[in-house]
Amino acid sequence: MFLAGVMTIQSELKKQLKNRFFDRIRFDEPMAAHTTFRVGGPADAFVTVTDESEMIYLVKWLKENDLPFFIVGGGTNLLVRDAGIRGVVISMAKGLAKISRQGTTMLSAMAGGSLNALCRFAINHGLAGLNFALGIPGTVGGAIRMNAGAWKGDMSNVLDSIRIICPDGRIESVDKTGLAFSYRSLLISDANGRDLAASVIIEGRFSLSPQSPESLKEEADSLLRARKNSQPTGFASAGCFFRNPDNLESAGKLIDLAGGKGLRVGDAQVSTKHANFIVNRGRATAEDILRLMDIVQEAVFKKFNITLEPEVKIVGD
Ligand SMILES: Cc1cc2nc3c(=O)[nH]c(=O)nc-3n(C[C@H](O)[C@H](O)[C@H](O)COP(=O)(O)OP(=O)(O)OC[C@H]3O[C@@H](n4cnc5c(N)ncnc54)[C@H](O)[C@@H]3O)c2cc1C
């Protein structure tokens, strides 16, 4: 979906985009304004789409004009480099947010809606299965794409199927047989095994089980309290920075034991509360964060001979 390149958008194409999207398209839009890390240089173009037909139109138009695109959800798992993103960044945070109940235990949610709104909807309808996700910021689409998880649960436990827009603009429904989940990752393929990972997720359907709203609320409150107590608040971040290594101590514990807590490059700092959070204390650049990432990786490697891999998506030039 995201293709790095030196291409910029020619003025004729910019004009066409402007004519179609009016004030919903911005050029040279700072990505720092669209990520919870509050860093990231300009996207060549940033479009907010409001409905599915517009998304299909845009995906087709971009293919015809050979322009790369990148979907941003809530921007809560992204580290965008300081030179920004070439091509078109597409946001659907302001549209495509509907949630509906289907039958007794199924919920459908459009990808641009808030994950927390979906979790609350499930609680209010007495449907269990999504409480693990309460407090994870971002959109439904981003959570599906990242197989977001917490408290030993993740999207793979509850996701029944998705609807996607393929890079050629076709709509496809993909059920469990085409969804390969792993830790913070999802591969999507069609019935013939064709890779559809570069598609736009437009909707997710979730299979849940009945439980009383009161007991779900009680569980939700306790999970949210535990989240609040363990995570840093008050500074910008993208959540856990590194993936937990397979079958080993958590990345946070390894960083802590390697003396990483509090390490700092410019305004980028390893949180003193949770060592797997890198926080932006105000004016950090992506470069600061990437330099700090290297320092932390080196410290952990030196002590444990383990290479930590980033969980955040590092994108852009
Ligand atoms: C304070 C904090 C706490 C967090 N806690 C957790 C946690 O407990 N567990 C956890 O798993 N994560 C956590 N995160 C990380 C993040 O919130 C999740 O990964 C979240 O699901 C990302 O959703 P998003 O909409 O922000 O996606 P973005 O960050 O915008 O994008 C992430 C990726 O998904 C892709 N994407 C987004 N939407 C779509 C779409 N519709 N179609 C196709 N691709 C799409 C993007 O292109 C990108 O590659 C935390 C982050 C923060 C800031």
Side-chain angles (χ1 to χ4, degrees):
M1 184 189 324
F2 172 74
L3 306 168
V6 288
M7 155 195 303
T8 50
I9 305 173
Q10 287 163 5
S11 54
E12 174 49 35
L13 295 182
K14 280 187 175 174
K15 211 153 92 191
Q16 287 182 32
L17 283 168
K18 190 85 193 151
N19 286 341
R20 170 81 198 205
F21 294 99
F22 306 104
D23 58 343
R24 285 185 290 111
I25 180 143
R26 292 185 222 147
F27 297 103
D28 298 319
E29 171 72 2
M31 286 302 294
H34 302 282
T35 64
T36 52
F37 237 149
R38 298 278 171 254
V39 301
D44 286 344
F46 187 99
V47 186
T48 305
V49 296
T50 52
D51 62 35
E52 194 169 319
S53 59
E54 200 171 67
M55 181 67 92
I56 295 169
Y57 167 87
L58 182 57
V59 167
K60 280 186 180 160
W61 185 90
L62 290 165
K63 188 174 164 60
E64 277 160 24
N65 290 289
D66 207 17
L67 281 174
F69 70 89
F70 179 79
I71 301 285
V72 65
T76 65
N77 203 48
L78 296 181
L79 173 55
V80 180
R81 291 192 180 89
D82 297 319
I85 297 183
R86 305 292 69 82
V88 176
V89 173
I90 306 174
S91 164
M92 40 176 165
K94 291 193 186 106
L96 295 157
K98 191 168 166 235
I99 305 169
S100 58
R101 189 169 183 164
Q102 303 190 333
T104 341
T105 54
M106 196 74 87
L107 289 186
S108 148
M110 297 303 277
S114 135
L115 179 62
N116 280 284
L118 172 63
C119 298
R120 290 286 171 199
F121 188 97
I123 292 173
N124 293 336
H125 283 76
L127 292 173
L130 274 165
N131 263 357
F132 75 87
L134 257 181
I136 301 179
T139 60
V140 171
I144 293 173
R145 191 73 189 77
M146 294 306 304
N147 188 21
W151 317 116
K152 297 198 162 68
D154 61 32
M155 299 310 276
S156 73
N157 304 143
V158 283
L159 195 65
D160 172 75
S161 57
I162 57 176
R163 229 156 40 82
I164 56 173
I165 301 174
C166 302
D168 59 7
R170 258 177 322 115
I171 295 256
E172 290 243 4
S173 284
V174 185
D175 65 15
K176 282 237 173 198
T177 56
L179 303 175
F181 292 98
S182 56
Y183 176 68
R184 302 296 170 262
S185 153
L186 168 65
L187 299 177
I188 308 170
S189 56
D190 69 7
N192 303 316
R194 211 161 30 111
D195 178 17
L196 297 175
S199 304
V200 180
I201 298 164
I202 204 84
E203 182 181 3
R205 294 182 80 225
F206 299 86
S207 177
L208 305 171
S209 48
Q211 195 175 319
S212 82
E214 292 70 30
S215 68
L216 285 170
K217 265 185 203 132
E218 213 171 287
E219 183 189 53
D221 289 346
S222 111
L223 291 177
L224 280 176
R225 261 195 311 274
R227 177 174 281 274
K228 203 171 165 201
N229 289 337
S230 67
Q231 293 188 354
T233 46
F235 289 120
S237 81
C240 285
F241 195 93
F242 295 101
R243 299 162 67 91
N244 289 322
D246 294 339
N247 306 319
L248 292 165
E249 280 292 5
S250 69
K253 187 79 187 279
L254 296 174
I255 296 166
D256 193 5
L257 292 172
K261 262 188 180 169
L263 285 177
R264 193 164 170 171
V265 174
D267 259 359
Q269 185 177 37
V270 177
S271 163
T272 49
K273 185 166 180 183
H274 187 319
N276 200 13
F277 272 61
I278 290 182
V279 297
N280 175 0
R281 296 180 58 95
R283 291 166 177 242
T285 60
E287 186 59 32
D288 292 336
I289 294 168
L290 289 168
R291 276 178 52 213
L292 184 57
M293 174 183 93
D294 287 345
I295 291 168
V296 170
Q297 281 173 322
E298 215 173 295
V300 169
F301 187 78
K302 215 161 147 189
K303 189 152 174 92
F304 299 107
N305 210 20
I306 293 168
T307 304
L308 291 180
E309 300 294 341
E311 181 172 314
V312 299
K313 293 249 176 197
I314 302 170
V315 297
D317 286 354

